[in-house]
């Protein structure tokens, strides 16, 4: 709209300039006062129109940058307000895991289990714990049951973006890839099965976590051999 109006003014102004250019000298000689006033008026009007156009352009130019600045600020605030989940592992789980894997895993490997457990709700990656095959008296479902026992007690669906079974299956498969050989889908569907080969039991929530003793199984296996 501004450009259209300014275009019309320029058109009529050109006509006036042509008339003045052709007849300017005659007007100046005949009525010098009127000629000077007309010239001053034209110059003032032209200056006002240029000023208005400059202001309009500046306003249009500034608006997007202000909007972008506001959007970026909101984004930064959202990142700053993102809650961080600090996971503390209960002493019951620490004692249960330590005593169950005593003389089977190193202290470093057990600490990695706790590191993976801290990432359970956060969606972080799990570190490989089993780089050497576990003793032959420890079966896949021993690991799956132990993972269920400790992960179920730390699971918080408010923060975890996975279904519990899927996340627990990923925990078991990623941590113990040499013993846990089934697919994540199969693990998720069968990890609490009690009709598979194992000695470590599922411990329901609300029941105390009693560390599992693999020594009896180890002795039984040794006698068979």
């Amino acid at each position: 709209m501004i450009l259209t109006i300014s275009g019309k003014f320029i058109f009529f102004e050109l006509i006036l300039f042509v008339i003045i250019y052709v007849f300017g000298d005659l007007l100046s000689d005949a009525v010098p006062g009127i000629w000077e006033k007309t010239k001053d008026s034209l110059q003032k009007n032209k200056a006002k129109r240029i000023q208005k156009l400059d202001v309009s352009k500046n306003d249009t130019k500034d608006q997007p940058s202000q909007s972008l600045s506001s959007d970026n600020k909101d984004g930064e605030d959202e990142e700053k307000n993102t809650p961080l989940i600090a996971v503390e592992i209960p002493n019951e789980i620490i004692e249960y895991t330590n005593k169950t894997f005593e003389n089977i895993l190193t202290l470093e490997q057990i600490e990695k289990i706790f590191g993976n457990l801290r990432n359970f709700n956060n969606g972080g990656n799990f570190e490989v714990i089993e780089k050497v095959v576990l003793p032959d008296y420890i079966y896949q479902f021993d690991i799956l049951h132990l993972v269920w026992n400790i992960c179920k007690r730390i699971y918080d669906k408010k923060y975890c973006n996975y279904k519990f079974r899927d996340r627990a299956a990923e925990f078991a498969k990623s941590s113990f890839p040499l013993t846990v050989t089934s697919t994540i889908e199969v693990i998720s569907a069968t990890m609490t099965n009690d009709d598979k080969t194992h000695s470590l039991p599922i411990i329901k929530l609300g029941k105390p976590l009693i560390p599992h003793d693999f020594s009896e199984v180890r002795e039984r296996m040794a006698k068979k051999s």
Side-chain angles (χ1 to χ4, degrees):
M1 176 63 76
I2 292 170
L3 291 176
T4 303
I5 295 170
S6 64
K8 290 179 180 179
F9 274 113
I10 291 170
F11 176 77
F12 288 115
E13 187 178 342
L14 285 173
I15 294 172
L16 285 172
F17 273 123
V18 169
I19 294 169
I20 292 167
Y21 179 78
V22 175
F23 300 104
D25 292 337
L26 294 174
L27 289 170
S28 179
D29 293 338
V31 280
I34 295 174
W35 163 241
E36 292 299 328
K37 287 181 181 180
T38 303
K39 205 161 60 168
D40 291 342
S41 177
L42 285 171
Q43 288 177 349
K44 287 178 182 179
N45 288 336
K46 185 177 179 182
K48 285 180 182 179
R49 285 197 299 276
I50 292 171
Q51 187 177 9
K52 285 181 180 178
L53 283 172
D54 288 341
V55 170
S56 300
K57 287 178 183 177
N58 289 335
D59 289 345
T60 307
K61 200 180 203 177
D62 290 341
Q63 285 175 1
S65 64
Q66 288 174 357
S67 175
L68 182 61
S69 173
S70 176
D71 290 343
N72 287 340
K73 188 176 180 183
D74 291 341
E76 290 173 2
D77 289 343
E78 286 176 4
E79 288 181 1
K80 289 177 183 177
N81 293 332
T82 301
L84 298 175
I85 307 167
V87 177
E88 286 190 17
I89 301 173
N91 290 332
E92 183 184 32
I93 291 177
I94 293 173
E95 184 178 358
Y96 171 76
T97 307
N98 274 320
K99 289 189 177 180
T100 296
F101 283 121
E102 191 176 21
N103 301 322
I104 297 172
L105 298 179
T106 65
L107 292 176
E108 183 182 359
Q109 287 176 306
I110 293 173
E111 186 54 42
K112 285 182 180 179
I113 294 177
F114 298 143
N116 287 348
L117 198 57
R118 291 186 187 97
N119 285 334
F120 190 83
N121 291 319
N122 294 332
N125 294 327
F126 297 127
E127 190 174 359
V128 176
I129 295 165
E130 181 192 24
K131 295 183 178 179
V132 178
V133 180
L134 294 178
D136 58 3
Y137 53 83
I138 298 178
Y139 300 97
Q140 173 171 291
F141 276 84
D142 289 319
I143 298 299
L144 297 186
H145 290 176
L146 180 134
V147 167
W148 192 96
N149 289 342
I150 61 176
C151 290
K152 194 66 174 177
R153 287 164 169 79
I154 207 93
Y155 176 64
D156 190 335
K157 63 182 179 181
K158 290 187 297 184
Y159 300 108
C160 189
N161 293 325
Y162 300 83
K163 291 181 179 178
F164 169 75
R165 280 179 171 269
D166 293 343
R167 187 64 170 158
E170 185 183 355
F171 183 108
K173 180 77 173 176
S174 300
S175 302
F176 297 92
L178 303 178
T179 299
V180 180
T181 56
S182 297
T183 64
I184 288 179
E185 291 76 16
V186 170
I187 296 167
S188 178
T190 63
M191 70 183 310
T192 55
N193 284 9
D194 205 31
D195 57 350
K196 305 290 184 180
T197 303
H198 68 279
S199 63
L200 193 152
I202 289 282
I203 301 175
K204 294 182 179 180
L205 292 179
K207 301 288 184 181
L209 276 179
I210 300 173
H212 183 66
D213 186 0
F214 280 109
S215 61
E216 292 182 7
V217 185
R218 183 174 63 243
E219 291 171 4
R220 188 166 62 248
M221 293 285 289
K223 287 179 183 177
K224 286 184 180 179
S225 60

